[in-house]
Amino acid sequence: MFLNHLSLRCLRCLPVLHLPVWMFISNKCFNTVADIVFLVDGSNSIGPANFQQIREFLSSLVEKFEVTPDRIRVGLVQYSDTPYTEFSLSTYQNKEEILSYIKNLRYKTGGTFTGKGLEFMLKQHFVEKAGSRAQQNVPQIAIVITDGDSQDEVKSQAQELRQRGIKIFAIGIKDANETLLRQIASEPYDQHVYSVSDFAALQGISQSVIWKVCTAVEETQKEVILMSRGNILHCKTINYSCKLLDLDIAGCADFDAHNLETQKFFMETAQADIVLLVDSSGSIGESDFEEVRKFLHSFVDSFNLRPDKVRVGLAQFSDRPYQEFLLGDYSDKRDLHQKLNDLIYRRGGTNTGLALTFIRENYFRLARQNVPGIAIVITDGESNDDVEEPSQRLRNLGVSIFVIRVGTGDMEKLHTIANTPHEEFLFSIDNYKELQGLKESLRNKVCFTVTLQSQGNIFYLVCFPICVYTMGVLNMKTLKLLQKHLLALCPITVNSYLLLFVLKYGTVY
């Protein structure tokens, strides 16, 4: 009974107390709620005997999870030349069925196309129709097991998974490429990358993998992200029980579905000026432009659109920019939706830099003082003009820039447009039909950014200390990062002793 109520943070004491891990990880991963998908290498280099070791390793992990529809859900993909769904997150309702399937798991054989496997896992498994609960803010975990180099590229596929908020563990066996594992895995690598000498050694890391997966789930629910550009501290609190922090996050409809009064408070207090910059060039096409229109309708409905709260403006661009409507240039929500219905598909080339300059001079120059400014760029192509200087000049006004890349547009140029870290501000999807799947994630990230710009120094001196103190991540690295960003905000001397006091008591007098 006592062990079941221990915090996962207590596990950090194990090396000091010299207590066996099994005493703390009994038959379950406590009361963890998560969606976990395994991506297993079934290529020729594995061999039948070693594949049996993989079966046993998978079984040892699943055995420790509390598999039920409302706790942990498990999916499995095997890949070689092509990926194959063994079972999805919604296929099995209990652990016994999964263990039975794994015991008889067929060895696929073939080449090693890990990139294809990662892409398949994202599009076919971490989706609602396959049982993913990402829309309910349930942590999403991917565990990749491979023994060699990939015959295709993995970096962009792994980045897209991470951009969707999926934590990736990479387990390399025997001759696995360490660089490849790091390209796949989430950071920090010492928490998400494993490398073992042979297949028999897999069992030796099973308890450690379970512990780190459960810890990652907990930290995903209470995550502190430090944003380096624009002095933005992103304090993401998905765990609904952390009400103290949630009260500091305002502006999004349905953000806290468990607290309608808090939700009402959010809706009534947020202020922001949001400009949507939409690529309307010839490469889009009429049908895809309609997908953009649908996305715009649903996205603007996420906010409390009032002249003194959230205002939205929209510009299109191709060879040149087009002013569709300025910030707040609509009488009510119905009028705004009518303006979206009236958008004309423009066609032409793609001059994104010119469009960024246009919204800086014609939209954000007229924006409200001391109200967070957000630009959201949706594009599918490589710009014909320079984007770096226009983007930087826009950021110099205090505007945070989000970018949605559709298709195969030049990622390097888009990196220069978006704020950093790019995992927070840059989205990449394959086609316009996938826009709807980004709505919740984009909305939440916009809301956090708006809130943190609004909170300013008070947020640093109150919210962040409470975040760090309550999440048990107090360490000198955290203190130094906070010290650096506080100094960037205000001309006061902030030393580690002051920060320790703040972290303990949650305020400064």
Side-chain angles (χ1 to χ4, degrees):
M1 183 75 171
F2 170 72
L3 291 177
N4 286 338
H5 288 85
L6 279 176
S7 166
L8 278 171
R9 296 187 199 100
C10 294
L11 293 174
R12 294 175 185 148
C13 306
L14 292 179
V16 178
L17 297 175
H18 303 290
L19 295 175
V21 174
W22 62 263
M23 290 182 65
F24 291 87
I25 305 174
S26 52
N27 296 321
K28 305 172 185 176
C29 198
F30 300 112
N31 292 321
T32 300
V33 178
D35 293 334
I36 302 174
V37 179
F38 292 94
L39 179 65
V40 175
D41 185 345
S43 61
N44 287 334
S45 58
I46 305 289
N50 289 330
F51 195 75
Q52 178 58 29
Q53 297 278 5
I54 291 178
R55 290 189 191 99
E56 292 174 8
F57 177 64
L58 290 172
S59 295
S60 68
L61 297 182
V62 172
E63 183 64 48
K64 297 299 186 292
F65 295 140
E66 186 182 4
V67 179
T68 67
D70 61 341
R71 292 289 184 186
I72 292 180
R73 297 183 183 180
V74 176
L76 175 62
V77 176
Q78 187 182 169
Y79 75 96
S80 53
D81 295 304
T82 57
Y84 175 78
T85 295
E86 300 292 350
F87 54 86
S88 67
L89 291 164
S90 59
T91 303
Y92 294 120
Q93 307 297 304
N94 60 67
K95 184 191 307 181
E96 288 70 30
E97 291 177 308
I98 294 175
L99 291 173
S100 176
Y101 189 100
I102 291 172
K103 183 179 180 180
N104 300 293
L105 181 63
R106 177 183 60 92
Y107 174 34
K108 192 169 168 25
T109 73
T112 310
F113 289 85
T114 312
K116 280 185 182 178
L118 292 167
E119 184 177 11
F120 182 83
M121 184 167 54
L122 173 66
K123 294 180 178 177
Q124 301 298 323
H125 284 259
F126 286 110
V127 291
E128 189 173 3
K129 66 180 180 182
S132 169
R133 293 167 290 173
Q135 299 293 337
Q136 302 169 42
N137 289 326
V138 170
Q140 307 289 286
I141 305 290
I143 301 176
V144 181
I145 304 171
T146 184
D147 82 326
D149 267 332
S150 178
Q151 294 173 251
D152 61 351
E153 195 262 337
V154 302
K155 191 173 182 180
S156 62
Q157 291 89 339
Q159 181 182 17
E160 190 169 356
L161 280 158
R162 292 191 297 268
Q163 284 175 342
R164 299 288 182 92
I166 299 163
K167 296 281 186 182
I168 311 175
F169 291 81
I171 301 173
I173 310 164
K174 201 175 177 181
D175 300 321
N177 185 324
E178 184 74 21
T179 301
L180 178 83
L181 297 178
R182 287 172 174 255
Q183 287 178 344
I184 294 171
S186 298
E187 295 185 20
Y189 299 129
D190 64 341
Q191 298 295 314
H192 296 89
V193 175
Y194 286 86
S195 187
V196 295
S197 57
D198 54 47
F199 287 86
L202 279 172
Q203 289 300 329
I205 65 169
S206 62
Q207 297 288 6
S208 176
V209 172
I210 294 164
W211 171 23
K212 288 183 179 178
V213 166
C214 293
T215 302
V217 168
E218 184 185 43
E219 290 175 354
T220 299
Q221 290 176 317
K222 303 174 183 177
E223 186 177 1
V224 178
I225 300 172
L226 198 59
M227 292 184 176
S228 57
R229 183 170 294 179
N231 300 321
I232 299 172
L233 181 67
H234 179 166
C235 184
K236 184 195 296 184
T237 306
I238 295 172
N239 190 332
Y240 293 123
S241 67
C242 195
K243 297 302 178 188
L244 183 59
L245 293 178
D246 281 356
L247 288 173
D248 281 327
I249 298 172
C252 298
D254 303 320
F255 178 76
D256 185 351
H258 295 260
N259 189 329
L260 294 176
E261 288 304 312
T262 304
Q263 178 185 318
K264 182 181 177 183
F265 174 73
F266 293 164
M267 289 289 290
E268 291 176 352
T269 58
Q271 287 186 304
D273 285 335
I274 301 173
V275 176
L276 297 151
L277 183 58
V278 177
D279 185 344
S280 189
S281 60
S283 58
I284 308 293
E286 292 280 1
S287 61
D288 283 338
F289 189 76
E290 285 307 309
E291 294 295 332
V292 176
R293 195 193 308 274
K294 289 178 192 174
F295 170 75
L296 295 173
H297 278 296
S298 60
F299 182 71
V300 298
D301 269 341
S302 302
F303 300 95
N304 179 21
L305 299 177
R306 283 170 37 189
D308 61 333
K309 299 302 178 188
V310 176
R311 302 190 306 172
V312 173
L314 188 142
Q316 291 196 78
F317 70 98
S318 54
D319 295 304
R320 67 179 184 86
Y322 298 86
Q323 178 180 304
E324 301 298 348
F325 55 89
L326 294 171
L327 287 161
D329 187 19
Y330 43 83
S331 57
D332 53 26
K333 227 175 206 185
R334 180 180 295 179
D335 185 34
L336 171 59
H337 283 295
Q338 186 58 52
K339 288 180 184 294
L340 295 176
N341 285 334
D342 293 340
L343 290 178
I344 299 170
Y345 173 42
R346 301 289 182 172
R347 297 181 176 80
T350 309
N351 287 318
T352 314
L354 186 62
L356 290 165
T357 299
F358 180 80
I359 63 171
R360 176 175 60 83
E361 294 178 349
N362 295 277
Y363 286 73
F364 287 107
R365 289 289 186 195
L366 305 175
R368 292 169 289 179
Q369 293 283 329
N370 302 317
V371 169
I374 303 290
I376 300 172
V377 182
I378 305 173
T379 182
D380 83 328
E382 181 175 342
S383 179
N384 298 323
D385 60 352
D386 173 66
V387 297
E388 186 170 1
E389 184 182 352
S391 301
Q392 189 56 54
R393 293 184 71 182
L394 189 54
R395 278 191 293 272
N396 289 344
L397 287 181
V399 176
S400 297
I401 310 174
F402 290 82
V403 176
I404 300 174
R405 180 189 78 158
V406 186
T408 59
D410 184 352
M411 187 60 89
E412 187 176 345
K413 275 197 171 184
L414 297 181
H415 273 102
T416 66
I417 297 175
N419 277 44
T420 56
H422 293 129
E423 289 189 7
E424 295 298 309
F425 288 93
L426 178 57
F427 297 81
S428 180
I429 55 178
D430 284 342
N431 57 68
Y432 281 94
K433 291 185 184 299
E434 294 180 18
L435 273 173
Q436 289 296 336
L438 286 183
K439 182 184 70 174
E440 300 293 331
S441 178
L442 176 63
R443 181 195 63 181
N444 286 344
K445 289 180 180 182
V446 167
C447 288
F448 285 121
T449 303
V450 166
T451 301
L452 296 172
Q453 285 189 13
S454 302
Q455 296 293 333
N457 295 351
I458 294 173
F459 189 82
Y460 275 81
L461 294 177
V462 179
C463 177
F464 182 69
I466 296 171
C467 267
V468 175
Y469 187 65
T470 58
M471 290 173 199
V473 293
L474 172 58
N475 55 51
M476 190 53 65
K477 182 179 179 182
T478 303
L479 292 176
K480 292 298 184 185
L481 283 169
L482 178 58
Q483 186 174 13
K484 173 184 173 183
H485 285 263
L486 275 169
L487 287 170
L489 276 180
C490 49
I492 61 172
T493 301
V494 183
N495 59 46
S496 296
Y497 296 105
L498 170 63
L499 293 178
L500 281 168
F501 180 86
V502 173
L503 288 165
K504 183 172 183 181
Y505 297 106
T507 188
V508 170
Y509 297 98

